Amino acid sequence: NAGVTQTPKFRILKIGQSMTLQCTQDMNHNYMYWYRQDPGMGLKLIYYSVGAGITDKGEVPNGYNVSRSTTEDFPLRLELAAPSQTSVYFCASSETGTVFTDTQYFGPGTRLTVL
Amino acid sequence: AQSVTQPDIHITVSEGASLELRCNYSYGATPYLFWYVQSPGQGLQLLLKYFSGDTLVQGIKGFEAEFKRSQSSFNLRKPSVHWSDAAEYFCAVGAGSGGSYIPTFGRGTSLIVHP
């Protein structure tokens, strides 16, 4: 049971390039989330999904796209990288999305630099 | 909209000393409140959460937190700190209803432990 895995761990992009951050969970969780963490700041929600085929915007969705074709995978796409997207990106998953019984499990993060 | 304030950017304590990390929130209804810990290079791990009932919440690793509605606070405490507790600590508030929530994170408090 690997939990939540993210690839790559590190990446440097040039302005205007595109890339996909991969996230996979093996806990059969319905809910998945993408956050970004800027230096000295808390996490901000980019997108989330409540199940395969269903996604919704979080607090900072501009410049990103997501898809959820399977329960396990929730990739995050950057189409035209900008320096403002330099950040650490965390993927998380949870079983029910409700606070009463739920815990969010986080991946180790992807550190992205856009130059 | 909900918000979280962690007034201390850094806290330094000696090993064996007691610890209190402050968290203040802003939210109109009864909030869902969380404390997470992030070790260097790792994702976040849930320490404890509050959603109803007893205002003193016990968590993992010997941590506890107390919800004080009159002060809009949810401070994290530990009676005796260990060197391994050195990490970044995030308070979060979840807005939602019926148990569903989307968390908003504070900027974090960095805990430094002196031997």
Side-chain angles (χ1 to χ4, degrees), chain B residues 14-43:
Chain B
S14 298
E15 191 170 15
S18 63
L19 170 70
E20 183 169 32
L21 302 181
R22 296 185 290 166
C23 173
N24 294 98
Y25 69 90
S26 174
Y27 185 59
T30 298
Y32 305 138
L33 294 161
F34 310 82
W35 274 101
Y36 287 85
V37 61
Q38 183 182 31
S39 298
Q42 302 295 313

PDB file of all heavy atoms in Angstrom, chain B residues 14-43:
ATOM      1  N   SER B  14      12.931  24.513  24.009  1.00  0.00           N
ATOM      2  CA  SER B  14      13.926  23.522  24.398  1.00  0.00           C
ATOM      3  C   SER B  14      13.269  22.159  24.509  1.00  0.00           C
ATOM      4  O   SER B  14      12.076  22.056  24.853  1.00  0.00           O
ATOM      5  CB  SER B  14      14.569  23.891  25.737  1.00  0.00           C
ATOM      6  OG  SER B  14      15.247  25.121  25.648  1.00  0.00           O
ATOM      7  N   GLU B  15      14.021  21.131  24.212  1.00  0.00           N
ATOM      8  CA  GLU B  15      13.493  19.779  24.332  1.00  0.00           C
ATOM      9  C   GLU B  15      13.036  19.534  25.765  1.00  0.00           C
ATOM     10  O   GLU B  15      13.727  19.874  26.726  1.00  0.00           O
ATOM     11  CB  GLU B  15      14.545  18.756  23.924  1.00  0.00           C
ATOM     12  CG  GLU B  15      13.998  17.350  23.767  1.00  0.00           C
ATOM     13  CD  GLU B  15      14.992  16.396  23.127  1.00  0.00           C
ATOM     14  OE1 GLU B  15      16.182  16.738  23.064  1.00  0.00           O
ATOM     15  OE2 GLU B  15      14.577  15.316  22.680  1.00  0.00           O
ATOM     16  N   GLY B  16      11.833  18.973  25.892  1.00  0.00           N
ATOM     17  CA  GLY B  16      11.260  18.732  27.202  1.00  0.00           C
ATOM     18  C   GLY B  16      10.345  19.828  27.695  1.00  0.00           C
ATOM     19  O   GLY B  16       9.564  19.622  28.627  1.00  0.00           O
ATOM     20  N   ALA B  17      10.430  20.990  27.077  1.00  0.00           N
ATOM     21  CA  ALA B  17       9.560  22.102  27.471  1.00  0.00           C
ATOM     22  C   ALA B  17       8.177  21.916  26.880  1.00  0.00           C
ATOM     23  O   ALA B  17       7.968  21.138  25.943  1.00  0.00           O
ATOM     24  CB  ALA B  17      10.161  23.424  27.022  1.00  0.00           C
ATOM     25  N   SER B  18       7.220  22.665  27.432  1.00  0.00           N
ATOM     26  CA  SER B  18       5.854  22.604  26.888  1.00  0.00           C
ATOM     27  C   SER B  18       5.745  23.512  25.663  1.00  0.00           C
ATOM     28  O   SER B  18       6.564  24.406  25.438  1.00  0.00           O
ATOM     29  CB  SER B  18       4.850  23.040  27.950  1.00  0.00           C
ATOM     30  OG  SER B  18       5.086  24.387  28.312  1.00  0.00           O
ATOM     31  N   LEU B  19       4.692  23.249  24.879  1.00  0.00           N
ATOM     32  CA  LEU B  19       4.518  23.960  23.608  1.00  0.00           C
ATOM     33  C   LEU B  19       3.074  24.398  23.450  1.00  0.00           C
ATOM     34  O   LEU B  19       2.145  23.648  23.790  1.00  0.00           O
ATOM     35  CB  LEU B  19       4.872  23.028  22.448  1.00  0.00           C
ATOM     36  CG  LEU B  19       4.538  23.515  21.039  1.00  0.00           C
ATOM     37  CD1 LEU B  19       5.449  24.669  20.652  1.00  0.00           C
ATOM     38  CD2 LEU B  19       4.658  22.378  20.031  1.00  0.00           C
ATOM     39  N   GLU B  20       2.877  25.608  22.940  1.00  0.00           N
ATOM     40  CA  GLU B  20       1.556  26.039  22.512  1.00  0.00           C
ATOM     41  C   GLU B  20       1.707  26.823  21.219  1.00  0.00           C
ATOM     42  O   GLU B  20       2.423  27.823  21.159  1.00  0.00           O
ATOM     43  CB  GLU B  20       0.853  26.901  23.560  1.00  0.00           C
ATOM     44  CG  GLU B  20      -0.563  27.294  23.116  1.00  0.00           C
ATOM     45  CD  GLU B  20      -1.395  27.915  24.240  1.00  0.00           C
ATOM     46  OE1 GLU B  20      -0.811  28.579  25.109  1.00  0.00           O
ATOM     47  OE2 GLU B  20      -2.627  27.729  24.240  1.00  0.00           O
ATOM     48  N   LEU B  21       1.032  26.364  20.173  1.00  0.00           N
ATOM     49  CA  LEU B  21       1.005  27.051  18.884  1.00  0.00           C
ATOM     50  C   LEU B  21      -0.378  27.666  18.706  1.00  0.00           C
ATOM     51  O   LEU B  21      -1.387  26.983  18.867  1.00  0.00           O
ATOM     52  CB  LEU B  21       1.313  26.079  17.741  1.00  0.00           C
ATOM     53  CG  LEU B  21       2.644  25.352  17.806  1.00  0.00           C
ATOM     54  CD1 LEU B  21       2.815  24.449  16.592  1.00  0.00           C
ATOM     55  CD2 LEU B  21       3.798  26.334  17.905  1.00  0.00           C
ATOM     56  N   ARG B  22      -0.396  28.928  18.327  1.00  0.00           N
ATOM     57  CA  ARG B  22      -1.655  29.661  18.261  1.00  0.00           C
ATOM     58  C   ARG B  22      -2.298  29.606  16.886  1.00  0.00           C
ATOM     59  O   ARG B  22      -1.596  29.605  15.858  1.00  0.00           O
ATOM     60  CB  ARG B  22      -1.421  31.119  18.664  1.00  0.00           C
ATOM     61  CG  ARG B  22      -0.961  31.289  20.101  1.00  0.00           C
ATOM     62  CD  ARG B  22      -0.860  32.754  20.449  1.00  0.00           C
ATOM     63  NE  ARG B  22       0.237  33.420  19.761  1.00  0.00           N
ATOM     64  CZ  ARG B  22       0.385  34.727  19.678  1.00  0.00           C
ATOM     65  NH1 ARG B  22      -0.536  35.533  20.216  1.00  0.00           N
ATOM     66  NH2 ARG B  22       1.421  35.243  19.046  1.00  0.00           N
ATOM     67  N   CYS B  23      -3.611  29.579  16.904  1.00  0.00           N
ATOM     68  CA  CYS B  23      -4.395  29.593  15.681  1.00  0.00           C
ATOM     69  C   CYS B  23      -5.690  30.333  15.942  1.00  0.00           C
ATOM     70  O   CYS B  23      -6.423  29.999  16.881  1.00  0.00           O
ATOM     71  CB  CYS B  23      -4.691  28.164  15.210  1.00  0.00           C
ATOM     72  SG  CYS B  23      -5.832  28.069  13.809  1.00  0.00           S
ATOM     73  N   ASN B  24      -5.988  31.327  15.131  1.00  0.00           N
ATOM     74  CA  ASN B  24      -7.256  32.035  15.189  1.00  0.00           C
ATOM     75  C   ASN B  24      -7.955  31.909  13.847  1.00  0.00           C
ATOM     76  O   ASN B  24      -7.312  31.967  12.801  1.00  0.00           O
ATOM     77  CB  ASN B  24      -7.045  33.511  15.542  1.00  0.00           C
ATOM     78  CG  ASN B  24      -6.509  33.686  16.934  1.00  0.00           C
ATOM     79  OD1 ASN B  24      -5.312  33.861  17.132  1.00  0.00           O
ATOM     80  ND2 ASN B  24      -7.392  33.601  17.913  1.00  0.00           N
ATOM     81  N   TYR B  25      -9.256  31.752  13.885  1.00  0.00           N
ATOM     82  CA  TYR B  25      -9.997  31.552  12.649  1.00  0.00           C
ATOM     83  C   TYR B  25     -11.108  32.579  12.545  1.00  0.00           C
ATOM     84  O   TYR B  25     -11.539  33.183  13.535  1.00  0.00           O
ATOM     85  CB  TYR B  25     -10.579  30.136  12.602  1.00  0.00           C
ATOM     86  CG  TYR B  25     -11.671  29.929  13.613  1.00  0.00           C
ATOM     87  CD1 TYR B  25     -13.003  30.193  13.307  1.00  0.00           C
ATOM     88  CD2 TYR B  25     -11.359  29.489  14.899  1.00  0.00           C
ATOM     89  CE1 TYR B  25     -13.994  30.036  14.248  1.00  0.00           C
ATOM     90  CE2 TYR B  25     -12.353  29.326  15.845  1.00  0.00           C
ATOM     91  CZ  TYR B  25     -13.659  29.609  15.518  1.00  0.00           C
ATOM     92  OH  TYR B  25     -14.640  29.452  16.459  1.00  0.00           O
ATOM     93  N   SER B  26     -11.586  32.721  11.322  1.00  0.00           N
ATOM     94  CA  SER B  26     -12.743  33.569  11.067  1.00  0.00           C
ATOM     95  C   SER B  26     -13.718  32.766  10.232  1.00  0.00           C
ATOM     96  O   SER B  26     -13.373  32.319   9.131  1.00  0.00           O
ATOM     97  CB  SER B  26     -12.335  34.839  10.322  1.00  0.00           C
ATOM     98  OG  SER B  26     -13.474  35.601   9.946  1.00  0.00           O
ATOM     99  N   TYR B  27     -14.903  32.546  10.789  1.00  0.00           N
ATOM    100  CA  TYR B  27     -15.935  31.799  10.073  1.00  0.00           C
ATOM    101  C   TYR B  27     -17.255  32.022  10.768  1.00  0.00           C
ATOM    102  O   TYR B  27     -17.314  32.046  11.988  1.00  0.00           O
ATOM    103  CB  TYR B  27     -15.591  30.303  10.029  1.00  0.00           C
ATOM    104  CG  TYR B  27     -16.549  29.491   9.210  1.00  0.00           C
ATOM    105  CD1 TYR B  27     -16.757  29.777   7.860  1.00  0.00           C
ATOM    106  CD2 TYR B  27     -17.266  28.440   9.779  1.00  0.00           C
ATOM    107  CE1 TYR B  27     -17.646  29.028   7.110  1.00  0.00           C
ATOM    108  CE2 TYR B  27     -18.149  27.694   9.024  1.00  0.00           C
ATOM    109  CZ  TYR B  27     -18.343  27.994   7.698  1.00  0.00           C
ATOM    110  OH  TYR B  27     -19.214  27.259   6.955  1.00  0.00           O
ATOM    111  N   GLY B  28     -18.317  32.193  10.009  1.00  0.00           N
ATOM    112  CA  GLY B  28     -19.599  32.577  10.574  1.00  0.00           C
ATOM    113  C   GLY B  28     -20.305  31.501  11.365  1.00  0.00           C
ATOM    114  O   GLY B  28     -20.987  31.772  12.329  1.00  0.00           O
ATOM    115  N   ALA B  29     -20.144  30.269  10.963  1.00  0.00           N
ATOM    116  CA  ALA B  29     -20.856  29.167  11.621  1.00  0.00           C
ATOM    117  C   ALA B  29     -19.861  28.349  12.437  1.00  0.00           C
ATOM    118  O   ALA B  29     -18.706  28.727  12.597  1.00  0.00           O
ATOM    119  CB  ALA B  29     -21.531  28.305  10.564  1.00  0.00           C
ATOM    120  N   THR B  30     -20.320  27.235  12.976  1.00  0.00           N
ATOM    121  CA  THR B  30     -19.403  26.348  13.694  1.00  0.00           C
ATOM    122  C   THR B  30     -18.398  25.784  12.701  1.00  0.00           C
ATOM    123  O   THR B  30     -18.782  25.158  11.711  1.00  0.00           O
ATOM    124  CB  THR B  30     -20.173  25.196  14.365  1.00  0.00           C
ATOM    125  OG1 THR B  30     -21.078  25.752  15.317  1.00  0.00           O
ATOM    126  CG2 THR B  30     -19.202  24.272  15.074  1.00  0.00           C
ATOM    127  N   PRO B  31     -17.136  26.000  12.968  1.00  0.00           N
ATOM    128  CA  PRO B  31     -16.128  25.579  11.978  1.00  0.00           C
ATOM    129  C   PRO B  31     -15.682  24.141  12.177  1.00  0.00           C
ATOM    130  O   PRO B  31     -15.849  23.561  13.249  1.00  0.00           O
ATOM    131  CB  PRO B  31     -14.974  26.530  12.286  1.00  0.00           C
ATOM    132  CG  PRO B  31     -15.065  26.720  13.772  1.00  0.00           C
ATOM    133  CD  PRO B  31     -16.529  26.690  14.115  1.00  0.00           C
ATOM    134  N   TYR B  32     -15.138  23.591  11.127  1.00  0.00           N
ATOM    135  CA  TYR B  32     -14.356  22.373  11.241  1.00  0.00           C
ATOM    136  C   TYR B  32     -12.900  22.823  11.313  1.00  0.00           C
ATOM    137  O   TYR B  32     -12.440  23.584  10.463  1.00  0.00           O
ATOM    138  CB  TYR B  32     -14.562  21.469  10.024  1.00  0.00           C
ATOM    139  CG  TYR B  32     -16.009  21.127   9.729  1.00  0.00           C
ATOM    140  CD1 TYR B  32     -16.488  21.130   8.418  1.00  0.00           C
ATOM    141  CD2 TYR B  32     -16.897  20.785  10.737  1.00  0.00           C
ATOM    142  CE1 TYR B  32     -17.807  20.808   8.123  1.00  0.00           C
ATOM    143  CE2 TYR B  32     -18.220  20.465  10.459  1.00  0.00           C
ATOM    144  CZ  TYR B  32     -18.668  20.481   9.157  1.00  0.00           C
ATOM    145  OH  TYR B  32     -19.965  20.166   8.877  1.00  0.00           O
ATOM    146  N   LEU B  33     -12.155  22.348  12.291  1.00  0.00           N
ATOM    147  CA  LEU B  33     -10.799  22.838  12.527  1.00  0.00           C
ATOM    148  C   LEU B  33      -9.803  21.689  12.540  1.00  0.00           C
ATOM    149  O   LEU B  33     -10.115  20.602  13.043  1.00  0.00           O
ATOM    150  CB  LEU B  33     -10.737  23.585  13.861  1.00  0.00           C
ATOM    151  CG  LEU B  33     -11.559  24.877  13.909  1.00  0.00           C
ATOM    152  CD1 LEU B  33     -11.828  25.304  15.331  1.00  0.00           C
ATOM    153  CD2 LEU B  33     -10.841  25.988  13.143  1.00  0.00           C
ATOM    154  N   PHE B  34      -8.626  21.953  12.020  1.00  0.00           N
ATOM    155  CA  PHE B  34      -7.617  20.915  11.848  1.00  0.00           C
ATOM    156  C   PHE B  34      -6.233  21.458  12.208  1.00  0.00           C
ATOM    157  O   PHE B  34      -5.952  22.637  12.041  1.00  0.00           O
ATOM    158  CB  PHE B  34      -7.551  20.442  10.376  1.00  0.00           C
ATOM    159  CG  PHE B  34      -8.869  20.085   9.774  1.00  0.00           C
ATOM    160  CD1 PHE B  34      -9.713  21.055   9.271  1.00  0.00           C
ATOM    161  CD2 PHE B  34      -9.259  18.762   9.692  1.00  0.00           C
ATOM    162  CE1 PHE B  34     -10.928  20.738   8.699  1.00  0.00           C
ATOM    163  CE2 PHE B  34     -10.477  18.416   9.120  1.00  0.00           C
ATOM    164  CZ  PHE B  34     -11.310  19.405   8.624  1.00  0.00           C
ATOM    165  N   TRP B  35      -5.379  20.551  12.652  1.00  0.00           N
ATOM    166  CA  TRP B  35      -3.956  20.818  12.743  1.00  0.00           C
ATOM    167  C   TRP B  35      -3.212  19.735  11.970  1.00  0.00           C
ATOM    168  O   TRP B  35      -3.470  18.541  12.142  1.00  0.00           O
ATOM    169  CB  TRP B  35      -3.464  20.817  14.190  1.00  0.00           C
ATOM    170  CG  TRP B  35      -3.602  22.127  14.887  1.00  0.00           C
ATOM    171  CD1 TRP B  35      -4.568  22.497  15.779  1.00  0.00           C
ATOM    172  CD2 TRP B  35      -2.727  23.261  14.766  1.00  0.00           C
ATOM    173  NE1 TRP B  35      -4.351  23.788  16.213  1.00  0.00           N
ATOM    174  CE2 TRP B  35      -3.223  24.279  15.618  1.00  0.00           C
ATOM    175  CE3 TRP B  35      -1.558  23.521  14.038  1.00  0.00           C
ATOM    176  CZ2 TRP B  35      -2.610  25.523  15.743  1.00  0.00           C
ATOM    177  CZ3 TRP B  35      -0.953  24.750  14.161  1.00  0.00           C
ATOM    178  CH2 TRP B  35      -1.474  25.739  15.007  1.00  0.00           C
ATOM    179  N   TYR B  36      -2.285  20.199  11.106  1.00  0.00           N
ATOM    180  CA  TYR B  36      -1.440  19.301  10.344  1.00  0.00           C
ATOM    181  C   TYR B  36       0.027  19.584  10.675  1.00  0.00           C
ATOM    182  O   TYR B  36       0.404  20.705  11.012  1.00  0.00           O
ATOM    183  CB  TYR B  36      -1.624  19.527   8.833  1.00  0.00           C
ATOM    184  CG  TYR B  36      -2.909  19.034   8.249  1.00  0.00           C
ATOM    185  CD1 TYR B  36      -4.060  19.812   8.279  1.00  0.00           C
ATOM    186  CD2 TYR B  36      -2.982  17.782   7.649  1.00  0.00           C
ATOM    187  CE1 TYR B  36      -5.244  19.366   7.723  1.00  0.00           C
ATOM    188  CE2 TYR B  36      -4.160  17.324   7.080  1.00  0.00           C
ATOM    189  CZ  TYR B  36      -5.283  18.124   7.122  1.00  0.00           C
ATOM    190  OH  TYR B  36      -6.451  17.679   6.572  1.00  0.00           O
ATOM    191  N   VAL B  37       0.870  18.549  10.491  1.00  0.00           N
ATOM    192  CA  VAL B  37       2.307  18.710  10.634  1.00  0.00           C
ATOM    193  C   VAL B  37       2.973  18.339   9.324  1.00  0.00           C
ATOM    194  O   VAL B  37       2.533  17.410   8.637  1.00  0.00           O
ATOM    195  CB  VAL B  37       2.855  17.857  11.800  1.00  0.00           C
ATOM    196  CG1 VAL B  37       2.609  16.367  11.578  1.00  0.00           C
ATOM    197  CG2 VAL B  37       4.336  18.116  12.006  1.00  0.00           C
ATOM    198  N   GLN B  38       3.999  19.098   8.968  1.00  0.00           N
ATOM    199  CA  GLN B  38       4.751  18.829   7.746  1.00  0.00           C
ATOM    200  C   GLN B  38       6.240  18.747   8.089  1.00  0.00           C
ATOM    201  O   GLN B  38       6.858  19.754   8.438  1.00  0.00           O
ATOM    202  CB  GLN B  38       4.512  19.924   6.710  1.00  0.00           C
ATOM    203  CG  GLN B  38       5.203  19.673   5.386  1.00  0.00           C
ATOM    204  CD  GLN B  38       5.000  20.801   4.390  1.00  0.00           C
ATOM    205  OE1 GLN B  38       4.866  21.963   4.769  1.00  0.00           O
ATOM    206  NE2 GLN B  38       4.960  20.460   3.106  1.00  0.00           N
ATOM    207  N   SER B  39       6.801  17.558   7.981  1.00  0.00           N
ATOM    208  CA  SER B  39       8.236  17.390   8.178  1.00  0.00           C
ATOM    209  C   SER B  39       8.955  17.791   6.899  1.00  0.00           C
ATOM    210  O   SER B  39       8.359  17.763   5.817  1.00  0.00           O
ATOM    211  CB  SER B  39       8.545  15.942   8.551  1.00  0.00           C
ATOM    212  OG  SER B  39       7.916  15.613   9.775  1.00  0.00           O
ATOM    213  N   PRO B  40      10.222  18.161   6.999  1.00  0.00           N
ATOM    214  CA  PRO B  40      10.945  18.637   5.804  1.00  0.00           C
ATOM    215  C   PRO B  40      10.874  17.652   4.638  1.00  0.00           C
ATOM    216  O   PRO B  40      11.133  16.457   4.795  1.00  0.00           O
ATOM    217  CB  PRO B  40      12.383  18.776   6.322  1.00  0.00           C
ATOM    218  CG  PRO B  40      12.228  19.057   7.785  1.00  0.00           C
ATOM    219  CD  PRO B  40      11.040  18.244   8.219  1.00  0.00           C
ATOM    220  N   GLY B  41      10.493  18.173   3.481  1.00  0.00           N
ATOM    221  CA  GLY B  41      10.437  17.363   2.278  1.00  0.00           C
ATOM    222  C   GLY B  41       9.277  16.386   2.211  1.00  0.00           C
ATOM    223  O   GLY B  41       9.224  15.534   1.317  1.00  0.00           O
ATOM    224  N   GLN B  42       8.354  16.501   3.141  1.00  0.00           N
ATOM    225  CA  GLN B  42       7.226  15.573   3.191  1.00  0.00           C
ATOM    226  C   GLN B  42       5.898  16.287   2.958  1.00  0.00           C
ATOM    227  O   GLN B  42       5.817  17.509   3.009  1.00  0.00           O
ATOM    228  CB  GLN B  42       7.178  14.886   4.564  1.00  0.00           C
ATOM    229  CG  GLN B  42       8.442  14.131   4.930  1.00  0.00           C
ATOM    230  CD  GLN B  42       8.685  12.971   4.000  1.00  0.00           C
ATOM    231  OE1 GLN B  42       7.792  12.190   3.708  1.00  0.00           O
ATOM    232  NE2 GLN B  42       9.916  12.853   3.512  1.00  0.00           N
ATOM    233  N   GLY B  43       4.859  15.481   2.722  1.00  0.00           N
ATOM    234  CA  GLY B  43       3.516  16.029   2.660  1.00  0.00           C
ATOM    235  C   GLY B  43       2.975  16.260   4.064  1.00  0.00           C
ATOM    236  O   GLY B  43       3.638  16.004   5.062  1.00  0.00           O
TER     237      GLY B  43
END
